[in-house]
Coordinates of all heavy atoms in Angstrom, one line a residue:
V63 N -51.2 6.2 45.9 CA -49.8 6.6 46.0 C -49.0 5.8 45.0 O -49.1 4.6 45.0 CB -49.2 6.4 47.5 CG1 -47.8 6.8 47.5 CG2 -50.0 7.3 48.4
L64 N -48.0 6.5 44.3 CA -47.2 5.8 43.3 C -45.8 5.8 43.7 O -45.2 6.8 44.0 CB -47.3 6.5 41.9 CG -46.7 5.8 40.7 CD1 -47.4 4.5 40.4 CD2 -46.8 6.7 39.5
P65 N -45.2 4.5 43.9 CA -43.8 4.4 44.3 C -42.9 5.0 43.2 O -43.1 5.0 42.0 CB -43.6 2.9 44.5 CG -45.0 2.4 44.6 CD -45.9 3.2 43.8
R66 N -41.7 5.4 43.7 CA -40.7 6.0 42.8 C -40.2 4.9 41.8 O -39.8 5.2 40.6 CB -39.5 6.6 43.6 CG -38.5 7.3 42.7 CD -37.4 8.0 43.5 NE -36.6 7.1 44.2 CZ -35.4 7.4 44.7 NH1 -35.1 8.7 44.7 NH2 -34.7 6.5 45.4
S67 N -40.1 3.7 42.2 CA -39.6 2.6 41.4 C -40.4 2.4 40.1 O -39.9 2.2 39.0 CB -39.5 1.3 42.1 OG -40.8 0.9 42.6
I68 N -41.8 2.6 40.2 CA -42.6 2.5 39.1 C -42.4 3.6 38.1 O -42.4 3.5 36.9 CB -44.1 2.4 39.5 CG1 -44.3 1.1 40.4 CG2 -45.1 2.4 38.4 CD1 -45.7 0.9 40.9
L69 N -42.3 4.8 38.7 CA -42.0 6.0 37.8 C -40.7 5.8 37.1 O -40.7 6.2 35.9 CB -42.0 7.3 38.7 CG -43.3 7.7 39.3 CD1 -43.1 9.0 40.2 CD2 -44.3 8.1 38.2
L70 N -39.7 5.4 37.8 CA -38.4 5.2 37.1 C -38.5 4.1 36.0 O -37.9 4.3 34.9 CB -37.3 4.8 38.1 CG -37.0 5.9 39.1 CD1 -35.9 5.4 40.1 CD2 -36.5 7.2 38.4
R71 N -39.3 3.1 36.3 CA -39.5 2.0 35.3 C -40.2 2.6 34.0 O -39.8 2.3 32.9 CB -40.2 0.9 35.9 CG -40.4 -0.3 34.9 CD -41.3 -1.4 35.5 NE -42.7 -0.8 35.7 CZ -43.7 -1.4 36.4 NH1 -43.5 -2.5 36.9 NH2 -44.8 -0.8 36.5
D72 N -41.2 3.4 34.3 CA -41.9 4.0 33.1 C -41.0 4.9 32.3 O -41.1 5.0 31.1 CB -43.2 4.7 33.6 CG -44.2 3.7 34.2 OD1 -44.1 2.5 33.9 OD2 -45.1 4.2 34.9
L73 N -40.2 5.7 33.1 CA -39.3 6.6 32.5 C -38.3 5.9 31.6 O -37.9 6.3 30.5 CB -38.6 7.5 33.5 CG -37.6 8.5 33.0 CD1 -38.3 9.5 32.0 CD2 -37.0 9.3 34.2
A74 N -37.8 4.8 32.1 CA -36.8 4.0 31.4 C -37.4 3.4 30.1 O -36.8 3.4 29.0 CB -36.2 2.8 32.3
S75 N -38.7 3.0 30.2 CA -39.3 2.4 29.0 C -39.5 3.5 28.0 O -39.2 3.3 26.7 CB -40.7 1.9 29.4 OG -40.5 0.8 30.3
A76 N -39.9 4.7 28.4 CA -40.1 5.8 27.5 C -38.7 6.3 26.9 O -38.6 6.6 25.7 CB -40.7 7.0 28.2
A77 N -37.7 6.3 27.7 CA -36.4 6.6 27.2 C -35.9 5.6 26.2 O -35.3 6.0 25.1 CB -35.4 6.7 28.4
G78 N -36.1 4.3 26.4 CA -35.7 3.3 25.4 C -36.5 3.5 24.1 O -35.9 3.4 23.0
A79 N -37.8 3.8 24.2 CA -38.5 4.0 23.0 C -38.0 5.3 22.2 O -37.9 5.3 21.0 CB -40.0 4.2 23.3
V80 N -37.7 6.3 22.9 CA -37.2 7.5 22.3 C -35.9 7.2 21.6 O -35.6 7.7 20.5 CB -37.1 8.7 23.4 CG1 -36.3 9.8 22.8 CG2 -38.4 9.1 23.8
L81 N -35.0 6.5 22.3 CA -33.7 6.2 21.7 C -33.8 5.3 20.5 O -33.1 5.5 19.5 CB -32.8 5.5 22.7 CG -32.2 6.4 23.9 CD1 -31.5 5.5 24.9 CD2 -31.4 7.5 23.3
L82 N -34.8 4.4 20.5 CA -35.0 3.6 19.3 C -35.5 4.4 18.1 O -35.1 4.3 17.0 CB -36.0 2.5 19.6 CG -36.4 1.5 18.5 CD1 -35.2 0.8 18.0 CD2 -37.5 0.6 18.9
L83 N -36.4 5.4 18.4 CA -36.9 6.3 17.4 C -35.8 7.2 16.9 O -35.7 7.4 15.6 CB -38.0 7.1 17.9 CG -39.4 6.4 18.2 CD1 -40.4 7.4 18.8 CD2 -39.9 5.9 16.9
L84 N -34.9 7.6 17.8 CA -33.8 8.4 17.4 C -32.8 7.6 16.5 O -32.3 8.2 15.5 CB -33.0 9.0 18.6 CG -33.7 10.1 19.4 CD1 -32.8 10.5 20.6 CD2 -33.9 11.4 18.5
L85 N -32.6 6.4 16.8 CA -31.8 5.5 16.0 C -32.3 5.3 14.6 O -31.6 5.5 13.6 CB -31.6 4.2 16.7 CG -30.7 3.1 15.9 CD1 -29.3 3.7 15.7 CD2 -30.7 1.8 16.6
M86 N -33.6 5.0 14.5 CA -34.3 4.9 13.2 C -34.3 6.2 12.4 O -33.9 6.2 11.2 CB -35.7 4.4 13.4 CG -35.8 3.0 14.0 SD -37.5 2.5 14.4 CE -38.2 2.5 12.7
F87 N -34.6 7.3 13.1 CA -34.6 8.6 12.4 C -33.1 8.9 12.0 O -32.9 9.5 10.8 CB -35.1 9.6 13.3 CG -35.2 11.0 12.7 CD1 -36.2 11.3 11.8 CD2 -34.2 11.9 13.0 CE1 -36.2 12.6 11.3 CE2 -34.2 13.2 12.5 CZ -35.2 13.5 11.6
G88 N -32.1 8.6 12.8 CA -30.8 9.0 12.4 C -30.3 8.2 11.3 O -29.6 8.7 10.4
L89 N -30.6 6.9 11.2 CA -30.2 6.0 10.1 C -30.8 6.4 8.8 O -30.2 6.6 7.8 CB -30.4 4.6 10.4 CG -29.6 3.9 11.5 CD1 -30.1 2.5 11.8 CD2 -28.1 3.9 11.1
G90 N -32.2 6.6 8.9 CA -32.9 7.0 7.6 C -32.5 8.4 7.2 O -32.2 8.6 6.0
G91 N -32.6 9.3 8.1 CA -32.2 10.7 7.7 C -30.8 10.9 7.3 O -30.4 11.6 6.3
G92 N -29.9 10.2 8.0 CA -28.5 10.2 7.7 C -28.2 9.7 6.3 O -27.4 10.2 5.6
W93 N -28.9 8.5 6.0 CA -28.7 8.0 4.6 C -29.1 8.9 3.5 O -28.4 9.1 2.5 CB -29.5 6.7 4.6 CG -29.3 5.9 3.2 CD1 -30.1 5.9 2.2 CD2 -28.2 5.1 2.9 NE1 -29.6 5.2 1.2 CE2 -28.4 4.6 1.6 CE3 -27.0 4.6 3.6 CZ2 -27.6 3.7 0.9 CZ3 -26.2 3.8 2.9 CH2 -26.4 3.3 1.6
I94 N -30.2 9.6 3.7 CA -30.7 10.5 2.7 C -29.8 11.8 2.6 O -29.4 12.2 1.5 CB -32.1 11.0 3.1 CG1 -33.1 9.8 3.0 CG2 -32.6 12.1 2.1 CD1 -34.5 10.1 3.4
L95 N -29.4 12.3 3.8 CA -28.5 13.5 3.8 C -27.2 13.2 3.2 O -26.6 14.0 2.4 CB -28.4 14.0 5.2 CG -29.6 14.7 5.8 CD1 -29.4 15.1 7.3 CD2 -30.0 15.9 5.0
A96 N -26.6 12.0 3.6 CA -25.3 11.6 3.0 C -25.4 11.5 1.5 O -24.4 11.9 0.8 CB -24.8 10.3 3.7
G97 N -26.5 10.9 1.0 CA -26.6 10.7 -0.4 C -26.7 12.1 -1.1 O -26.1 12.3 -2.2
R98 N -27.4 13.0 -0.6 CA -27.5 14.4 -1.2 C -26.1 15.1 -1.1 O -25.8 15.7 -2.1 CB -28.6 15.2 -0.5 CG -30.0 14.7 -0.7 CD -31.0 15.6 0.1 NE -30.9 17.0 -0.4 CZ -31.6 17.5 -1.4 NH1 -32.4 16.7 -2.1 NH2 -31.4 18.8 -1.7
M99 N -25.4 14.9 0.0 CA -24.1 15.6 0.1 C -23.1 15.0 -0.8 O -22.2 15.7 -1.4 CB -23.6 15.6 1.5 CG -24.4 16.4 2.5 SD -23.7 16.5 4.1 CE -22.1 17.3 3.7

Side-chain angles (χ1 to χ4, degrees):
V63 177
L64 188 64
R66 185 172 68 168
S67 58
I68 297 178
L69 289 176
L70 293 179
R71 185 188 61 188
D72 294 342
L73 179 60
S75 301
V80 170
L81 288 177
L82 181 60
L83 289 175
L84 286 177
L85 177 61
M86 296 176 59
F87 181 78
L89 290 175
W93 182 261
I94 296 174
L95 290 176
R98 291 179 60 87
M99 290 189 63

